[in-house]
């Protein structure tokens, strides 16, 4: 696995892990996630002949922290990344927040995208719904918390679902021996959380092949969203992943992989 950090401004670097060779396949994680969430799928796509770019978006993972945070700047970050790495004819997959970034990028730079895949998010507006999670992460006191187990116990007072806590606690890392911290830029993400729900601009259109994937237990894409999706994406398929919620790629990885593979092949 190669690591690469690139941008037009060396102070504004997007970090990525790059696997395999072939047509570029760029994958964008969701809110409070990181590229590592997609490592298993990335390896599988690389094994069948793609150059997979697992990208950390700004204020997440190993990428830079910055006070600006909106889909406009996230899409611009991706444009800079593609230019710096000479990426063209990309397959672009985004989950949740990453799906919104991918949608905007594809509508603004269709010449760079061959196929678009969006996992469990609609182009519409979503109200803020991460309050408990952000409160729980803010309450983690790393002067007291000295283990992942202790962090999990503290977070459980705010987030009851074990799987969600495991996902969030992937952001933990050791600054030094005995001192934990979070990789995400929590203060900016709290301040700008309303940006996560912003709708795709009404005028945005993408006419190339597009696949929207939704979990059958998820509420992020309903029947009413299908009309909205088709207004923006004229050449679209909408597929349902069974036995899966919002984290469909993790909850039913085989069905997710098979659906993506059938589309990109």
């Amino acid at each position: 696995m190669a690591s690469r950090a690139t941008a037009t401004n060396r102070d504004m670097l997007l970090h990525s892990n790059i696997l395999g060779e072939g047509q570029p396949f760029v994958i964008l994680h969701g809110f409070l996630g990181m590229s590592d969430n997609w490592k298993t799928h990335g390896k599988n796509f690389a094994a069948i002949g793609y150059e997979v770019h697992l990208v950390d978006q700004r204020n997440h993972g190993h990428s830079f922290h910055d006070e600006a945070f909106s889909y406009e700047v996230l899409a611009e970050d991706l444009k800079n990344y593609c230019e710096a790495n000479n990426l063209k004819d990309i397959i672009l997959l985004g989950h949740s927040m990453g799906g919104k970034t991918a949608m905007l990028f594809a509508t603004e730079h269709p010449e760079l995208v061959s196929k678009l895949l969006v996992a469990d998010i609609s182009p519409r507006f979503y109200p803020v719904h991460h309050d408990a999670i952000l409160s729980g992460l803010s309450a983690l006191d790393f002067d007291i918390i000295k283990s992942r187990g202790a962090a999990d116990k503290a977070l459980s007072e705010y987030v009851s679902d074990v799987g969600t806590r495991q996902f969030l606690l992937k952001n933990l890392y050791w600054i030094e021996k005995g001192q934990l911290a979070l990789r995400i830029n929590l203060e900016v993400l709290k301040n700008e959380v309303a940006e996560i729900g912003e709708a795709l601009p009404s005028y945005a259109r993408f006419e190339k092949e597009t696949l929207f994937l939704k979990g059958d237990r998820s509420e992020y894409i309903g029947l009413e969203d299908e009309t909205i999706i088709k207004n923006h994406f004229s050449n679209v398929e909408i597929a349902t992943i069974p036995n899966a919620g919002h984290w469909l790629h993790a909850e039913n990885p085989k069905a997710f992989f098979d659906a993506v593979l059938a589309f990109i092949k």
Side-chain angles (χ1 to χ4, degrees):
M1 180 186 295
S3 288
R4 195 178 301 174
T6 49
T8 53
N9 181 338
R10 297 301 299 178
D11 293 327
M12 305 286 278
L13 306 176
L14 276 188
H15 176 271
S16 69
N17 288 318
I18 303 169
L19 308 90
E21 297 179 351
Q23 183 180 6
F25 188 162
V26 178
I27 300 179
L28 303 176
H29 61 81
F31 185 56
L32 303 176
M34 64 181 71
S35 60
D36 190 62
N37 301 146
W38 288 86
K39 185 165 60 177
T40 299
H41 281 299
K43 289 179 178 178
N44 290 337
F45 288 121
I48 56 173
Y50 294 95
E51 182 183 89
V52 180
H53 293 249
L54 304 177
V55 177
D56 284 327
Q57 299 191 82
R58 68 167 60 197
N59 294 321
H60 291 77
H62 291 275
S63 281
F64 62 90
H65 288 187
D66 191 79
E67 291 187 3
F69 192 76
S70 68
Y71 287 115
E72 288 73 18
V73 296
L74 294 177
E76 184 65 20
D77 289 342
L78 183 56
K79 176 67 159 49
N80 292 339
Y81 180 87
C82 289
E83 288 179 348
N85 288 282
N86 196 29
L87 299 185
K88 301 174 183 177
D89 192 38
I90 69 172
I91 297 168
L92 180 58
L93 165 61
H95 172 243
S96 196
M97 178 190 82
K100 284 280 188 79
T101 304
M103 285 185 237
L104 183 60
F105 180 84
T107 61
E108 291 185 338
H109 306 288
E111 73 283 358
L112 296 179
V113 180
S114 65
K115 291 188 177 184
L116 173 66
L117 301 96
V118 178
D120 213 59
I121 199 75
S122 165
R124 67 173 165 90
F125 168 79
Y126 290 81
V128 174
H129 55 282
H130 299 93
D131 292 346
I133 286 173
L134 292 172
S135 294
L137 292 173
S138 299
L140 297 178
D141 184 350
F142 295 117
D143 289 333
I144 299 171
I145 294 169
K146 298 300 179 181
S147 70
R148 292 177 180 271
D152 182 60
K153 182 177 179 181
L155 191 58
S156 69
E157 297 181 16
Y158 297 82
V159 181
S160 60
D161 181 69
V162 175
T164 303
R165 292 203 308 275
Q166 289 177 341
F167 165 77
L168 295 169
L169 292 174
K170 282 182 176 289
N171 287 292
L172 283 178
Y173 77 109
W174 297 101
I175 298 177
E176 57 188 37
K177 187 176 181 180
Q179 184 60 59
L180 283 165
L182 293 170
R183 290 200 184 278
I184 52 172
N185 188 348
L186 184 57
E187 286 307 307
V188 166
L189 296 179
K190 283 168 55 181
N191 292 339
E192 304 297 336
V193 65
E195 293 289 335
I196 303 303
E198 284 299 306
L200 190 67
S202 60
Y203 56 80
R205 298 289 186 275
F206 183 72
E207 297 179 354
K208 296 180 183 178
E209 289 181 89
T210 303
L211 176 66
F212 275 71
L213 296 145
K214 62 179 182 177
D216 67 345
R217 297 198 302 263
S218 174
E219 298 179 352
Y220 277 74
I221 298 180
L223 288 175
E224 68 280 3
D225 290 299
E226 296 192 10
T227 299
I228 300 170
I229 289 168
K230 291 173 182 177
N231 284 339
H232 292 281
F233 303 95
S234 59
N235 189 6
V236 66
E237 301 174 38
I238 302 172
T240 300
I241 303 301
N243 304 313
H246 185 54
W247 285 280
L248 62 177
H249 56 293
E251 294 171 28
N252 194 342
K254 184 181 186 303
F256 182 86
F257 180 84
D258 290 346
V260 172
L261 185 59
F263 176 72
I264 63 178
K265 287 292 187 181

